[in-house]
Amino acid sequence: MRVLVVDDEPLARERLHSMLQQTSGVTVSGAAGNGEEAIASARESLPDLVLLDIAMPGGDGLEVARELAGLRPRPGIVFVTAHAEHAAAAFDVEAVDYLVKPVRRERLEIALQRARLFLATRGSFASDGGRGHLLVRQRGGVRRIAIDEVTYLQADDKYVMVHHAHGHDLIEDSLKSLEEAFPDRFLRIHRNCLVARKALEGLRRDGEGQYRVLLRGIAEPLEISRRCLPTVRSAIEQY
């Protein structure tokens, strides 16, 4: 796991650096003393994890975290702060964890373990001998959902809701990445929705002339955009 250390206090950076060097499976990819340096270093080294001070010049840690969220692959963020009251703000930007200064080795180990869990599901789709799975990150572990059991995927704010044979779960991947990963499995019917091709059952037109798609096992028809309608109709005819 490649870790970038960001703190405006040189002694704090050195202490974290020292503890990380003594941790198995961890490499320090770089260090930065302010927000601008942090963003530049992260874009260059693409770390897996950023230990990020909240209060510092050149853009505070929260601003930096929002900027780093746009990197691909997205790094995990663990905030390091001298003020415990900042913890709530840390989770507003989807931080993996937060550490209060002075950082204890035992607490750092816990944060690194949480980061490893984040990284294990950062790209939550996986291929296994041609059988696709989605990985759902849960407290204390990871659960696999077979692609064959997924009926449709719908964008939900910053996440994607997976509707499958056993219920529904949120994952962090974008619809675009899932569409590209499984082009033969899913079909886009709307800018915010992909459906399983094998679940396609038919089309229904409502009183306002809007077409909706019928899926096997789903009571409520789903809206189709006009742009996607020809492709959906063609796919239904094939199935």
Side-chain angles (χ1 to χ4, degrees), residues 11 34 42 85 88 122 127 153 172 174 179 183 193 201:
L11 290 178
N34 60 53
E85 60 268 24
R122 177 170 58 182
S127 178
L153 304 142
E172 295 183 347
S174 68
E179 183 179 28
C193 188
E201 194 168 65

Side-chain angles (χ1 to χ4, degrees), residues 55-221:
M56 59 183 178
D60 68 21
L62 298 175
E63 293 172 352
V64 173
R66 293 186 184 99
E67 185 72 23
L68 297 184
L71 292 181
R72 292 294 180 269
R74 176 186 175 186
I77 301 292
V78 170
F79 281 111
V80 183
T81 176
H83 307 286
E85 60 268 24
H86 288 158
F91 289 107
D92 285 343
V93 290
E94 301 175 31
V96 172
D97 202 352
Y98 76 96
L99 299 169
V100 178
K101 298 179 181 179
V103 177
R104 295 180 292 110
R105 179 178 298 280
E106 297 80 4
R107 188 62 184 81
L108 176 61
E109 286 287 353
I110 292 172
L112 293 175
Q113 185 58 38
R114 289 175 177 171
R116 291 186 181 97
L117 177 60
F118 166 82
L119 295 172
T121 59
R122 177 170 58 182
S124 67
F125 47 84
S127 178
D128 179 12
R131 292 172 51 237
H133 294 83
L134 298 181
L135 302 181
V136 179
R137 183 155 53 105
Q138 297 177 315
R139 180 173 296 180
V142 177
R143 185 162 59 84
R144 295 157 69 97
I145 299 173
I147 288 294
D148 285 342
E149 296 182 338
V150 177
T151 306
Y152 68 101
L153 304 142
Q154 197 160 34
D156 186 351
D157 195 15
K158 299 179 181 178
Y159 301 91
V160 167
M161 181 70 76
V162 183
H163 296 263
H164 53 87
H166 307 290
H168 54 270
D169 290 278
L170 285 174
I171 61 175
E172 295 183 347
D173 297 284
S174 68
L175 281 181
K176 182 176 176 58
S177 66
L178 292 164
E179 183 179 28
E180 292 174 350
F182 303 105
D184 297 329
R185 302 273 190 164
F186 298 116
L187 176 70
R188 185 175 290 272
I189 66 167
H190 197 276
R191 61 182 177 81
N192 68 352
C193 188
L194 302 176
V195 301
R197 291 176 180 271
K198 70 173 189 176
L200 290 168
E201 194 168 65
L203 292 174
R204 176 183 296 172
R205 195 172 186 179
D206 61 25
E208 299 179 355
Q210 172 66 51
Y211 280 97
R212 296 180 182 274
V213 68
L214 304 173
L215 300 179
R216 296 183 185 91
I218 302 298
E220 189 70 23

